[in-house]
Amino acid sequence: MVPDEAIRHSLTLIAEHPQVLAVGKPKAIGESGAMAVEVTFEVNLPNEWRRGGESPTGVRLQEPVRFDFPSGYPMAPPEVSLRRDFTRDLPHIQPWTVDGRPVPCIYDGDLTELLHQAGLVAILNQAALWLDRAALGKLIDPEQGWEPVRRDEFVDFVIADEEVLRNWVDKDGGFRFVPMRFVTVNSEDGSLASVQCQLSSDSVSVNRNTIQHRVRPWGNDGQSMYWGDSLALVVCPGKEPSGKEIVCDSYLPETVKDLHDLKQRAGDYGCGKDLDTALGWLKNCLSAVNVKQTIPLAVILLARRPINLIGSESPVELCPYVVEVTAPQLFGAGPATPVRPAAHRSSITSGLLARMGGGPDLVERQDWTLVGAGSVGSKLALHLARAGGGPSVVVDKSSMAPHNAARHALIPEFGDLQMLWTIDKACKLTNALAGLDQTAKPVTEDAARMLLSGGGSNGAWSRRTWAVVNTTASLALREAFGVAKSMPARVVETLLFSAGRAGVITVEGPDRNPNTVDLMAEVYAAMLEHPSVGSIVFDSDASVARRRTGQGCGSMTMTVSDGRVSLFAAGAAEYLLGNQREGLPQASGEILIGRLCDDGLGVKWQSRQIEPLTEVRAVHGTGWRVRIHPRALARMNDEASRWPNDETGGVLIGRISDVSRVINVVDVLEAPKDSERSPHAFLLGTKGLRRRIEEYSTAVGWSLYCLGTWHSHLEEGGPSNKDRATARAVALARLTPTVFLIKTPTSFHALALNA
């Protein structure tokens, strides 16, 4: 058979490689069009080995390597195999052979992807590099770690938490039985096709009384699939007679085929005696049991290596196998009973999720509370949980409703019983988190009432809480957080505006200064600097409205696609994940404003640090506090420095909270040009002032408005009688609380009227 054009071109390319000495004549493999060609590589042996033509590891100066080009080449890569008598006692050797020829693991990844990314030359380079390293005995790099036996091509697998199993290894060795659930899949001819097992993380005591409950089939699907309960046997290496820990420093390829091989391999790993003892005890326990169907038993040999495994902080390697057992004889064919090497798959643990999320294992999961388990909250929780950092408490007073399925991160089960979907949101979300190995407490109470009642938090937060994340967009709850002096944790708030075209994240500062109410006032003020975002945020046509969710029923909600909610939730999740790993801002609060890109495919975020606010207790307004924002403080300082010998002043802009009895002074307008200044008095002018105030408030959707006025004193001292009279006169024209702020060289004084 003549090779096709793609293979002929590749043979020419192979011949030009600098380490290729010869390219043999291609031979057909069957009638599919596949071709095999033997390529001779020159291995870079040191001079002292070149005379003998071979390295101490058995690699020759000239090594024949066969490339099997499939009929689908170049869509699929060639398979690389070595000469039949090439030693298999080297690392990076696959557990299978091709026509009896060992298969080297030349690339840590998919050869198909390598072929399409870098071409056949890359595969040739990897093969040549593998031979050079094999000759030098450097296939295992101590700085990189020990290469585990390749098991990724096995059809049987065992799911287990490797950290739990590794922690069982000590100098004394021994064995443990572990509860196991299994699924066996049979081929059409009835033969066993695959075994899938999942191990518990707790060992159990096994005896004649308990064995019948531990080993039993309990389901089948038309004879093609069985599932049930069984046991796994975990065997640990012990110590030598000298007391030294047994270490297996020889790389052994996976060649176990039967019980005899398994026992021999256990001996190689230093746990042969314990395996014999455990199997003997298991046979004794099964002697009184009669189970007709064979049951899979998982056996995990733990091998202690001289260095830590690649990607691990442990030198213990897991080597899993599955073997079918029957009662009462245990192994029907004795030493010839087939044993199937299995692949290990990590259990779903927070550590695994943290690694897959691109970060280190979280040494200790941080306690944080999610308030609001709706569309934004559920996505935020699951994004963080899938990185190993989900919430420890979920607070939501509401129950799920069918319309929540439009944007909620959880998915209703298929079927007619949609009523099962309508349980408490907090409970539904915490159930999902449990599947990601993260326990969370559901709290189904009203968060605002908990904050305002003084009756305790019901475990929703504590001094250990890293942060409380509010995703409800509730104005009332924000006010409740602002007034809650006993809140022990910093509050983070996330919310969307205007059909998901803009979003905000606020993070309280240390000691909750600035707090979540202060920060939302800062967000509104920032809209003056970002009018394109402000026009979106204050768009009344795209705000929250009552939407029909059933005949005669409705819900106050925002009409927005699930994808758009996910865009903002993903950004918030990434921000929180980074802060979990690096810590919240240490000296300030922070606001982040996100705007949907014009193409609707992304979000552009802008952040700003907000320094702590200055607080002044007001007189004439019992319990009222004036909180001066850094922006306003800086402008008052600048104005006072411009007039060092005269009193000066201006207009205060901000918000008033009747709940917390706080007046937020967010910004300051410069005094009109017709204002009068002197060393002992300041008279605020009026020219153009009303227009300027209206323009400011209109630009921010009247979320900020005129609060009163401020002026400076050149000397220390509180408000004079004239100041009080002026304040009363102006307050008569307002029904809302009015603040008059006096700035002295070192402090502030505040008058609050109509409060």
Side-chain angles (χ1 to χ4, degrees):
M1 182 180 296
V2 178
D4 63 19
E5 180 61 29
I7 295 178
R8 286 199 302 270
H9 173 72
S10 295
L11 296 181
T12 302
L13 188 66
I14 292 173
E16 294 175 354
H17 192 276
Q19 281 187 251
V20 170
L21 294 176
V23 179
K25 184 178 180 180
K27 298 179 181 179
I29 305 175
E31 299 180 358
S32 64
M35 304 292 291
V37 61
E38 191 167 279
V39 178
T40 302
F41 282 84
E42 181 177 17
V43 182
N44 291 318
L45 296 184
N47 289 333
E48 62 267 28
W49 298 342
R50 296 179 75 87
R51 299 188 195 95
E54 186 175 292
S55 76
T57 59
V59 180
R60 297 173 184 171
L61 178 60
Q62 296 181 4
E63 278 289 353
V65 178
R66 196 173 86 179
F67 285 73
D68 291 354
F69 291 90
S71 59
Y73 181 82
M75 280 300 297
E79 184 166 34
V80 181
S81 59
L82 307 169
R83 52 184 163 84
R84 285 188 174 86
D85 59 346
F86 195 99
T87 179
R88 297 190 65 196
D89 295 335
L90 291 176
H92 297 280
I93 294 281
Q94 299 289 10
W96 67 87
T97 62
V98 175
D99 294 338
R101 305 167 66 100
V103 177
C105 177
I106 63 173
Y107 177 66
D108 186 15
D110 189 338
L111 278 183
T112 301
E113 294 302 312
L114 179 63
L115 174 65
H116 290 285
Q117 179 184 19
L120 181 62
V121 171
I123 295 179
L124 294 170
N125 290 339
Q126 290 296 122
L129 181 62
W130 189 95
L131 289 169
D132 290 345
R133 288 179 175 175
L136 297 172
K138 293 184 177 181
L139 286 173
I140 288 183
D141 181 359
E143 294 185 0
Q144 182 185 23
W146 184 273
E147 168 72 15
V149 177
R150 294 303 300 259
R151 320 183 76 86
D152 48 1
E153 295 293 332
F154 293 145
V155 296
D156 307 304
F157 62 83
V158 173
I159 299 174
D161 185 342
E162 63 265 38
E163 297 306 318
V164 170
L165 272 57
R166 286 169 174 159
N167 288 335
W168 290 346
V169 177
D170 56 27
K171 284 188 176 182
D172 296 328
F175 63 88
R176 299 190 187 210
F177 288 106
V178 177
M180 180 183 85
R181 286 280 169 88
F182 70 87
V183 174
T184 62
V185 180
N186 296 330
S187 302
E188 292 183 0
D189 61 2
S191 61
L192 184 62
S194 68
V195 181
Q196 303 171 13
C197 311
Q198 181 167 349
L199 276 59
S200 168
S201 293
D202 299 313
S203 60
V204 293
S205 175
V206 174
N207 54 51
R208 288 192 175 193
N209 295 326
T210 62
I211 192 68
Q212 295 189 41
H213 301 288
R214 299 291 182 192
V215 181
R216 56 180 180 173
W218 46 271
N220 71 84
D221 176 19
Q223 305 299 316
S224 64
M225 181 183 296
Y226 274 92
W227 57 95
D229 291 322
S230 186
L231 291 169
L233 172 60
V234 181
V235 192
C236 306
K239 58 186 176 183
E240 299 174 353
S242 64
K244 183 180 178 181
E245 292 181 343
I246 295 176
V247 174
C248 181
D249 58 1
S250 298
Y251 187 93
L252 302 172
E254 191 51 81
T255 57
V256 172
K257 293 182 176 61
D258 55 32
L259 184 61
H260 174 270
D261 294 341
L262 179 65
K263 291 185 176 183
Q264 189 175 48
R265 184 55 52 89
D268 295 332
Y269 291 155
C271 46
K273 291 183 179 179
D274 287 315
L275 176 63
D276 288 338
T277 301
L279 293 179
W281 175 248
L282 184 60
K283 183 176 181 179
N284 179 274
C285 294
L286 285 172
S287 61
V289 177
N290 186 15
V291 179
K292 294 181 180 180
Q293 183 187 347
T294 58
I295 302 287
L297 169 74
V299 178
I300 301 180
L301 304 180
L302 301 179
R304 188 187 287 114
R305 299 302 190 178
I307 57 177
N308 289 344
L309 273 65
I310 294 175
S312 171
E313 299 298 323
S314 171
V316 177
E317 180 177 352
L318 278 63
C319 303
Y321 306 86
V322 290
V323 55
E324 290 188 287
V325 300
T326 57
Q329 68 269 37
L330 189 61
F331 299 116
T337 301
V339 174
R340 303 164 65 103
H344 168 254
R345 296 290 183 265
S346 298
S347 298
I348 298 174
T349 65
S350 57
L352 171 68
L353 297 174
R355 292 193 299 273
M356 297 303 293
D361 293 3
L362 296 177
V363 177
E364 182 178 356
R365 182 183 168 200
Q366 299 191 60
D367 290 336
W368 66 278
T369 299
L370 173 71
V371 181
S375 57
V376 175
S378 62
K379 288 177 170 60
L380 200 63
L382 291 181
H383 280 314
L384 287 164
R386 288 191 171 101
S392 50
V393 181
V394 178
V395 182
D396 199 306
K397 65 180 179 179
S398 304
S399 298
M400 298 288 276
H403 75 273
N404 292 137
R407 293 191 296 265
H408 205 277
L410 304 183
I411 300 173
E413 295 182 6
F414 175 76
D416 297 328
L417 293 179
Q418 291 187 357
M419 67 186 73
L420 299 179
W421 169 255
T422 58
I423 67 171
D424 294 325
K425 288 182 179 179
C427 295
K428 193 80 174 175
L429 185 55
T430 54
N431 288 342
L433 294 172
L436 297 173
D437 187 43
Q438 291 162 77
T439 302
K441 175 184 177 181
V443 176
T444 58
E445 297 185 30
D446 187 323
R449 289 184 180 179
M450 285 194 297
L451 289 164
L452 298 176
S453 67
S457 66
N458 195 26
W461 40 74
S462 69
R463 294 186 181 277
R464 291 188 57 191
T465 302
W466 169 71
V468 175
V469 180
N470 174 23
T471 66
T472 64
S474 166
L475 302 179
L477 181 55
R478 184 185 304 144
E479 290 288 346
F481 275 123
V483 76
K485 297 179 181 179
S486 61
M487 168 58 67
R490 294 163 72 171
V491 176
V492 178
E493 185 171 3
T494 67
L495 66 160
L496 300 183
F497 292 98
S498 190
R501 290 188 288 157
V504 165
I505 304 170
T506 66
V507 184
E508 292 186 332
D511 299 321
R512 303 194 64 213
N513 183 12
N515 66 32
T516 192
V517 175
D518 303 328
L519 292 168
M520 277 309 301
E522 281 290 335
V523 169
Y524 296 139
M527 298 306 166
L528 281 177
E529 302 170 20
H530 305 285
S532 62
V533 181
S535 63
I536 295 173
V537 170
F538 302 118
D539 181 2
S540 60
D541 293 333
S543 60
V544 173
R546 188 170 181 83
R547 309 296 179 184
R548 188 173 66 85
T549 60
Q551 185 169 307
C553 300
S555 174
M556 292 299 295
T557 187
M558 182 185 295
T559 302
V560 57
S561 72
D562 180 65
R564 189 171 290 184
V565 174
S566 297
L567 282 175
F568 284 93
E574 285 296 299
Y575 175 80
L576 287 174
L577 182 60
N579 280 273
Q580 281 185 341
R581 294 169 177 168
E582 304 296 332
L584 292 169
Q586 294 299 305
S588 64
E590 188 173 13
I591 62 172
L592 294 93
I593 300 174
R595 182 183 184 277
L596 189 70
C597 296
D598 292 339
D599 59 9
L601 301 180
V603 177
K604 183 178 181 180
W605 291 93
Q606 294 178 312
S607 65
R608 176 179 299 174
Q609 304 295 315
I610 307 299
E611 300 298 321
L613 277 59
T614 301
E615 184 170 293
V616 182
R617 291 279 178 177
V619 297
H620 286 291
T622 306
W624 282 84
R625 294 169 293 148
V626 178
R627 293 177 63 80
I628 306 172
H629 289 236
R631 178 190 297 98
L633 179 62
R635 290 180 177 174
M636 285 188 281
N637 287 335
D638 288 345
E639 176 69 11
S641 65
R642 287 175 56 201
W643 303 92
N645 300 317
D646 293 313
E647 292 187 3
T648 187
V651 176
L652 304 176
I653 299 293
R655 290 178 62 83
I656 297 172
S657 170
D658 292 316
V659 175
S660 58
R661 299 180 73 79
V662 166
I663 299 173
N664 283 94
V665 178
V666 181
D667 207 347
V668 171
L669 294 183
E670 188 177 356
K673 292 183 178 181
D674 60 338
S675 300
E676 298 179 9
R677 299 174 178 86
S678 71
H680 302 290
F682 168 73
L683 180 62
L684 182 69
T686 60
K687 186 176 181 180
L689 182 58
R690 181 183 296 275
R691 177 180 55 81
R692 290 176 58 200
I693 292 174
E694 288 185 354
E695 287 176 349
Y696 189 112
S697 296
T698 301
V700 294
W702 288 91
S703 57
L704 302 176
Y705 38 83
C706 177
L707 301 173
T709 64
W710 77 278
H711 70 272
S712 63
H713 282 184
L714 301 184
E715 298 179 356
E716 299 298 331
S720 64
N721 291 333
K722 182 178 180 181
D723 293 331
R724 296 175 189 273
T726 302
R728 285 193 297 269
V730 175
L732 290 175
R734 293 168 55 95
L735 298 178
T736 58
T738 301
V739 63
F740 286 82
L741 199 60
I742 298 171
K743 172 180 168 46
T744 73
T746 62
S747 63
F748 284 92
H749 300 274
L751 294 172
L753 301 177
N754 292 341

